[in-house]
Amino acid sequence: MSLLRPRDVIGHVHDITPEFLAARGLRGLLLDLDNTLIPYGSYEERADVMAWVAGLRRAGIRLYLLSNATGKRARFWLDKLGFEGVGMAGKPNPRAFRQALAQLGLPPQQVGMVGDQLFTDVLGGNLAGMHTILVHPLEGNALPHTRAARRLERAVLKRYGHDWRA
Ligand SMILES: [Mg+2]
């Protein structure tokens, strides 16, 4: 069960500041895309997210996108966001996390995995020995398997004393 437990639970990526990262000894982040940075399936640029990314990069934080979205969708967003990453990552498969950590050139203890799903982002990040940060999903989405996963996530989070994912 503890592999599903996030180290931090936050409302929005904006809660992750250079000070937040320094306090946790983190120098890089692996970032989920859908419902973490961008509403599920959206192609609309968000000025607030771009400003957040720019602020972290100015602070020297290394960023890498680790998304299960199609390669085409991931590429579209990588071009906009201006850092490296991959789509079709197959999270929580540990291989994707190992490859991403190698690209960042940082040990897992110095990297935060930021995502909105327990069974992909948090599980994979914990398996890789990373500091996992669960973010409230930007928007619900209609995929039946995701709705089923959300119900399970709520049950797990409640056990951990987090009741915000109503
Ligand atoms: Mg997501």
Side-chain angles (χ1 to χ4, degrees):
M1 202 52 140
S2 64
L3 279 173
L4 289 175
R5 185 172 203 155
R7 291 276 289 279
D8 285 299
V9 178
I10 63 171
H12 191 276
V13 290
H14 290 147
D15 298 336
I16 302 172
T17 61
E19 295 72 29
F20 175 104
L21 295 172
R24 289 157 178 77
L26 300 174
R27 298 168 61 206
L29 294 174
L30 299 189
L31 296 166
D32 173 51
L33 178 66
D34 281 308
N35 280 336
T36 296
L37 295 181
I38 302 294
Y40 180 80
S42 169
Y43 285 90
E44 262 174 65
E45 193 170 304
R46 292 173 63 111
D48 58 334
V49 170
M50 305 312 271
W52 174 76
V53 164
L56 288 190
R57 297 185 78 192
R58 269 197 307 276
I61 304 301
R62 296 186 217 173
L63 303 175
Y64 193 86
L65 189 83
L66 193 63
S67 172
N68 283 356
T70 64
K72 191 176 165 194
R73 175 165 168 74
R75 177 48 53 196
F76 173 89
W77 278 109
L78 286 169
D79 287 344
K80 295 237 180 238
L81 293 163
F83 53 83
E84 291 301 308
V86 290
M88 303 276 283
K91 293 177 287 184
N93 186 335
R95 187 172 52 182
F97 291 80
R98 279 199 301 273
Q99 287 171 348
L101 287 166
Q103 290 294 317
L104 278 183
L106 292 170
Q109 320 82 261
Q110 293 182 14
V111 180
M113 174 67 221
V114 183
D116 69 296
Q117 294 204 53
L118 288 184
F119 303 109
T120 55
D121 305 310
V122 172
L123 176 59
N126 282 338
L127 285 169
M130 298 170 58
H131 183 112
T132 47
I133 303 169
L134 182 72
V135 60
H136 194 281
L138 286 177
E139 265 180 19
N141 78 53
L143 292 179
H145 72 269
T146 303
R147 283 206 305 271
R150 294 275 186 238
R151 282 196 290 276
L152 284 171
E153 286 176 334
R154 274 198 296 276
V156 173
L157 287 168
K158 204 163 179 179
R159 268 176 87 112
Y160 295 152
H162 299 293
D163 218 357
W164 46 262
R165 187 168 280 185

